[in-house]
Amino acid sequence: MQDKSNKTIEFRAGKADKNFTEERLTSYTGLTVVSKYIQAQGIGKLLDRLFPTVKKNATKFSTTQIMLAVVLASMSDVHRMSRIENFTCDPLVQHLLGLKEDIDQDTLAGRLKALGQRGAFSLQEELFRFTGKMLKKSNLSYITMDCDSTVATVYGNQEGAAKGYNPHKLGANSYHSQLCFCSEMKLILNSWFRTGSAYTSNGICEFMKQTLASLPRRIRRIFFRADSGYFNGDLFDLLENEGHDYLVKVKLKNLYRLMLEQEWSFINEKESVCEFEYQAKNWKKARTLRGIRILTGYKQTNFFGEITIEPEYEYFCYCSNLNDKDGQSLHELYKKRAESENWIEQTKNQLHASQTLTDDFSANDILWQLAVLGYNLSVMMRYETNSKIWRQEHLTFFRWFINVPGKVVKTSRKVTVKMSRHYWYADQWRNFEQQLSIAC
């Protein structure tokens, strides 16, 4: 029977009152698992031993609490001192760090400045040991090291900031940090926080000696890969003497002319390769450079009325001691380092390295290292649990796992964080927590 009713359903928006009265809400439920992982790695005890805090009448916070607040804030998409102060107002953050009140930004900056250059060096040495411990879990004996530098523009009067190479804002003050990744694990093995006037490869030999010395004994050989900023004869000597492999893009003022002078061997319709000996003035010996020429198109030229069609090429040249590979093979191998650019972007823009700053260089160095520690913790948590999650960027991981709203319920015996029963990724969240607990 046909329904002859003419009634319609009308939309009526619901109304809700608002107030700011609840005190036990958090936006960072996933930090419960992150904090547990940090403690399982012994980082809290490490910082306590490294920077012991003498309890005095005016001392409210330990140096470990301040540093871990910066690490958790970095992993929670929070940067700048004022925002970290607000971050420590979160009831869950206060519980995890053992805080009785929020840490004001003056205390944050002041305590880090008080550690000075010695504190920055000491922290770096201890983080080397932590990174080596993480690297052992891979059971690798041969790793790929992708080395690169990154520029962070600053606005203000930060100590050590200077004018130098800055592709983002020409002429602006900046810091120019150097990083080295283990490509198989996405792990930052070493990093130097440097002034903006530093050239890309400044101190690279000392940097690599420090990095190599920090590697586990199981890792006997490395493959070093870097862009043209690291075209450095002393670096090549160091790597060759230590028995390591390397691949670096060539940087020469007359490179285009040199490439035009070479004899090219065709390997297909579009690509040709060559190789030739070259010795720079400050090099101890000559080395073989290998190039590839790729056809990009054709251009029409008119020479005194005579029209000719000439090919146009793009040239690439590499210096490497991988003698069994030609220019094409080296070019394909070099292109794989592009992913390290994404890891640097994550460190800077997702973990906010160089974005939380003071007016003191050593304090900024410590803040940089704590952000790098946050990046490595994020990578290792995912590496030890699920390869699919490991391939995600940190910001993706933060949004579905860490940045989950909840209510902190405190009873006489324990603290519980209650999350929505309708959370879309609840099963994935539980599985990740269980897998990480087993890994710890």
Side-chain angles (χ1 to χ4, degrees):
M1 183 176 178
Q2 187 176 1
D3 187 359
K4 298 182 179 180
S5 174
N6 294 323
K7 292 183 179 180
T8 59
I9 299 175
E10 295 182 0
F11 171 74
R12 293 183 181 180
K15 296 181 180 180
D17 293 331
K18 287 79 64 180
N19 57 60
F20 295 91
T21 57
E22 184 58 57
E23 297 181 353
R24 308 298 296 174
L25 300 179
T26 181
S27 299
Y28 309 105
T29 298
L31 288 183
T32 55
V33 181
V34 174
S35 178
K36 183 179 178 181
Y37 183 78
I38 289 175
Q39 297 313 311
Q41 304 309 313
I43 294 176
K45 293 181 179 179
L46 181 152
L47 294 176
D48 274 340
R49 175 174 52 81
L50 195 60
F51 305 110
T53 304
V54 179
K55 190 173 183 179
K56 299 180 181 179
N57 291 335
T59 305
K60 297 181 179 179
F61 314 104
S62 70
T63 303
T64 299
Q65 287 175 315
I66 289 173
M67 287 188 165
L68 289 182
V70 174
V71 172
L72 293 181
S74 176
M75 298 180 72
S76 302
D77 197 27
V78 177
H79 61 100
R80 304 188 188 282
M81 289 298 183
S82 58
R83 295 176 185 174
I84 295 177
E85 176 183 344
N86 188 60
F87 174 75
T88 59
C89 293
D90 187 285
L92 180 59
V93 173
Q94 290 190 354
H95 172 70
L96 295 176
L97 295 177
L99 303 175
K100 294 182 180 179
E101 58 183 90
D102 62 291
I103 309 175
D104 65 273
Q105 57 181 315
D106 292 332
T107 300
L108 283 165
R111 293 287 290 277
L112 294 178
K113 290 179 186 179
L115 298 176
Q117 188 179 47
R118 178 181 294 182
F121 286 158
S122 299
L123 179 61
Q124 185 182 47
E125 288 297 323
E126 289 299 328
L127 292 184
F128 274 141
R129 295 186 179 92
F130 170 74
T131 305
K133 178 182 174 182
M134 296 295 100
L135 199 55
K136 284 181 180 179
K137 297 183 178 183
S138 67
N139 292 322
L140 295 171
S141 58
Y142 182 81
I143 64 171
T144 300
M145 283 189 186
D146 281 316
C147 195
D148 208 343
S149 63
T150 181
V151 174
T153 303
V154 300
Y155 304 90
N157 299 312
Q158 289 84 0
E159 184 180 21
K163 294 180 182 179
Y165 171 73
N166 190 338
H168 311 296
K169 193 166 185 179
L170 299 179
N173 287 343
S174 63
Y175 291 117
H176 191 184
S177 302
Q178 188 163 253
L179 304 95
C180 184
F181 292 86
C182 170
S183 297
E184 288 80 4
M185 298 179 69
K186 305 182 183 179
L187 204 63
I188 297 178
L189 300 178
N190 193 6
S191 68
W192 280 6
F193 185 73
R194 306 185 302 179
T195 179
S197 59
Y199 178 66
T200 300
S201 62
N202 278 11
I204 183 58
C205 290
E206 290 72 22
F207 180 85
M208 283 306 300
K209 288 177 183 177
Q210 188 183 52
T211 307
L212 292 171
S214 69
L215 296 178
R217 293 182 181 179
R218 180 183 179 85
I219 299 176
R220 299 179 180 178
R221 291 182 62 210
I222 69 157
F223 170 48
F224 178 88
R225 185 169 53 190
D227 63 16
S228 59
Y230 296 91
F231 186 65
N232 185 301
D234 292 335
L235 172 63
F236 300 152
D237 289 334
L238 171 65
L239 294 171
E240 289 169 354
N241 292 337
E242 295 288 335
H244 301 304
D245 301 325
Y246 63 85
L247 169 60
V248 177
K249 195 174 184 180
V250 173
K251 183 178 184 179
L252 294 171
K253 290 183 179 179
N254 62 339
L255 179 60
Y256 182 71
R257 180 179 60 80
L258 280 174
M259 300 294 275
L260 291 177
E261 294 173 353
Q262 303 310 311
E263 294 184 3
W264 295 89
S265 301
F266 284 92
I267 53 177
N268 56 50
E269 294 181 355
K270 292 188 176 182
E271 296 177 332
S272 310
V273 295
C274 72
E275 64 177 57
F276 56 96
E277 294 293 311
Y278 178 83
Q279 182 173 2
K281 291 182 180 179
N282 59 342
W283 286 12
K284 296 178 181 178
K285 65 177 184 180
R287 290 182 170 86
T288 301
L289 305 185
R290 297 177 178 83
I292 180 171
R293 183 181 70 177
I294 302 175
L295 179 65
T296 59
Y298 295 89
K299 66 178 180 179
Q300 182 175 298
T301 60
N302 188 331
F303 185 73
F304 293 102
E306 183 178 352
I307 298 176
T308 58
I309 304 296
E310 296 182 354
E312 289 185 315
Y313 296 102
E314 189 174 9
Y315 295 90
F316 301 91
C317 190
Y318 302 97
C319 183
S320 175
N321 61 349
L322 299 174
N323 298 322
D324 59 332
K325 297 185 181 298
D326 61 10
Q328 184 196 40
S329 300
L330 293 178
H331 184 59
E332 293 300 318
L333 190 58
Y334 179 81
K335 287 194 295 184
K336 294 180 180 179
R337 72 170 291 277
E339 193 174 1
S340 66
E341 301 285 348
N342 297 330
W343 304 335
I344 291 177
E345 187 276 333
Q346 289 183 49
T347 307
K348 287 176 57 179
N349 299 326
Q350 299 182 21
L351 279 298
H352 305 293
S354 291
Q355 293 186 20
T356 301
L357 298 170
T358 69
D359 58 359
D360 181 83
F361 183 82
S362 295
N364 292 341
D365 188 355
I366 292 172
L367 288 165
W368 164 271
Q369 292 184 53
L370 293 175
V372 168
L373 173 60
Y375 168 86
N376 279 345
L377 286 169
S378 172
V379 168
M380 287 308 303
M381 287 176 66
R382 291 175 282 137
Y383 179 84
E384 294 195 89
T385 54
N386 187 299
S387 60
K388 181 179 179 181
I389 298 174
W390 175 68
R391 288 192 293 270
Q392 295 176 352
E393 292 191 353
H394 171 76
L395 194 58
T396 303
F397 172 68
F398 162 73
R399 285 172 175 166
W400 75 262
F401 186 78
I402 296 177
N403 190 206
V404 183
K407 184 174 182 179
V408 182
V409 178
K410 187 175 182 180
T411 62
S412 58
R413 293 186 177 182
K414 63 179 181 179
V415 172
T416 304
V417 183
K418 295 187 176 182
M419 296 175 279
S420 171
R421 69 172 63 183
H422 303 295
Y423 182 49
W424 183 261
Y425 295 106
D427 291 338
Q428 188 176 357
W429 200 100
R430 290 193 193 96
N431 290 337
F432 183 86
E433 180 187 24
Q434 292 172 0
Q435 291 171 3
L436 194 62
S437 297
I438 295 172
C440 289

